[in-house]
Amino acid sequence: MKKLVITSLLIAGSLLAESSSSFEGRKGVAPATDSLYLKECGSCHFAYQPGLLPSRSWVKVMENLSDHFGTDASVEGADSSKILKYLKDNSTEKFKNYKKTKSIYDSIATTETPIAVTKTRYFVQKHREIGCELIKQKEVKSLSNCMACHTKADKGSYSEREINIPNYGRWEDE
Ligand code: HEC
Ligand code: HEC
């Protein structure tokens, strides 16, 4: 009897833990977890979650790494295909059950292939009210620097209450 109670408690506990963590995930984008990706694509900047761009965008990014936003970000052949596979397997199309991924996906016309998250319509619209001086300041530098303002961006979480803009603070919508 006692054993049964403990087992049920354990099951209830793990169900609870699982539902709360996937709830957190579904609100934002799925976190980036692949260690090769985090190492190769997280060294110069924040490792953007694959669910921030559609598959065709990742193909374009990966095909042009030698001329990547004015820098050479080339990755060795085999690693490059592994990274591309990871990105395609986890792109916007695959994670539309995550709220932010769906919003980004819906904002990109099928005829477009943006190579930057910051160029997508959803992103531009969400960030248009931020003053230029807050973006250009040295603690931020550009909107590509997600972690400067979204304190939990690395967890795939972009909720408004977690925003903290350097030298400004929390973002309050009027
Ligand atoms: C040598 C440095 C370097 C490496 C390594 C690198 N990048 Fe970048 N990446 C940049 C720079 C510079 C930018 C322009 C934005 C910025 O200033 O941070 C950029 C921007 C991006 C953007 C657009 C961000 C936006 O503004 O929405 C994506 C997507 C991206 N990189 C993906 C990747 C991927 C995928 C990899 C791994 C294969 C990678 N990067 C590796 C330097 C690098
Ligand atoms: C200068 C600070 C700053 C930077 C850098 C920044 N953001 Fe934001 N972001 C904001 C603010 C402020 C909002 C809230 C806008 C609003 O809803 O009024 C926001 C909103 C968002 C939202 C929508 C949140 C919601 O629930 O409505 C997403 C998703 C997001 N940002 C993703 C990103 C990503 C991805 C990056 C990096 C490529 C990034 N942001 C870079 C400040 C920033």
Side-chain angles (χ1 to χ4, degrees):
M1 182 62 198
K2 199 167 168 196
K3 200 167 163 205
L4 187 70
V5 171
I6 293 175
T7 321
S8 338
L9 278 178
L10 280 176
I11 292 172
S14 61
L15 282 178
L16 200 67
E18 188 163 349
S19 66
S20 66
S21 69
S22 55
F23 177 69
E24 184 61 37
R26 284 203 303 269
K27 288 197 298 184
V29 302
T33 50
D34 184 80
S35 55
L36 179 65
Y37 176 71
L38 293 173
K39 179 169 146 266
E40 295 289 349
C41 305
S43 57
C44 294
H45 50 65
F46 172 64
Y48 306 105
Q49 285 88 11
L52 291 169
L53 284 173
S55 192
R56 62 184 182 282
S57 293
W58 291 121
V59 170
K60 200 166 167 184
V61 168
M62 293 305 291
E63 276 174 353
N64 295 296
L65 284 180
S66 59
D67 182 15
H68 179 79
F69 301 88
T71 164
D72 185 350
S74 303
V75 177
E76 293 241 346
D79 282 354
S80 172
S81 353
K82 281 187 211 157
I83 293 172
L84 179 58
K85 182 176 184 324
Y86 168 67
L87 290 167
K88 286 167 79 175
D89 286 349
N90 294 280
S91 62
T92 48
E93 294 90 331
K94 306 289 163 56
F95 278 100
K96 282 187 280 184
N97 57 327
Y98 282 79
K99 207 173 154 201
K100 297 302 162 206
T101 287
K102 181 169 179 0
S103 305
I104 293 173
Y105 178 83
D106 290 344
S107 86
I108 304 174
T110 48
T111 51
E112 292 178 319
T113 306
I115 54 161
V117 186
T118 50
K119 295 281 182 280
T120 60
R121 197 147 41 89
Y122 174 78
F123 184 97
V124 171
Q125 195 249 325
K126 281 287 177 183
H127 296 83
R128 69 177 192 279
E129 284 172 22
I130 307 169
C132 178
E133 69 292 349
L134 291 177
I135 296 168
K136 279 202 261 167
Q137 60 173 329
K138 65 177 189 314
E139 292 87 346
V140 180
K141 291 204 190 82
S142 91
L143 280 177
S144 307
N145 191 6
C146 319
M147 279 297 282
C149 305
H150 295 278
T151 56
K152 293 195 177 161
D154 54 345
K155 308 274 187 298
S157 185
Y158 293 94
S159 96
E160 254 186 78
R161 65 194 144 79
E162 292 157 3
I163 295 174
N164 186 3
I165 305 180
N167 301 310
Y168 178 84
R170 295 192 51 167
W171 187 259
E172 313 282 357
D173 251 348
E174 30 254 46

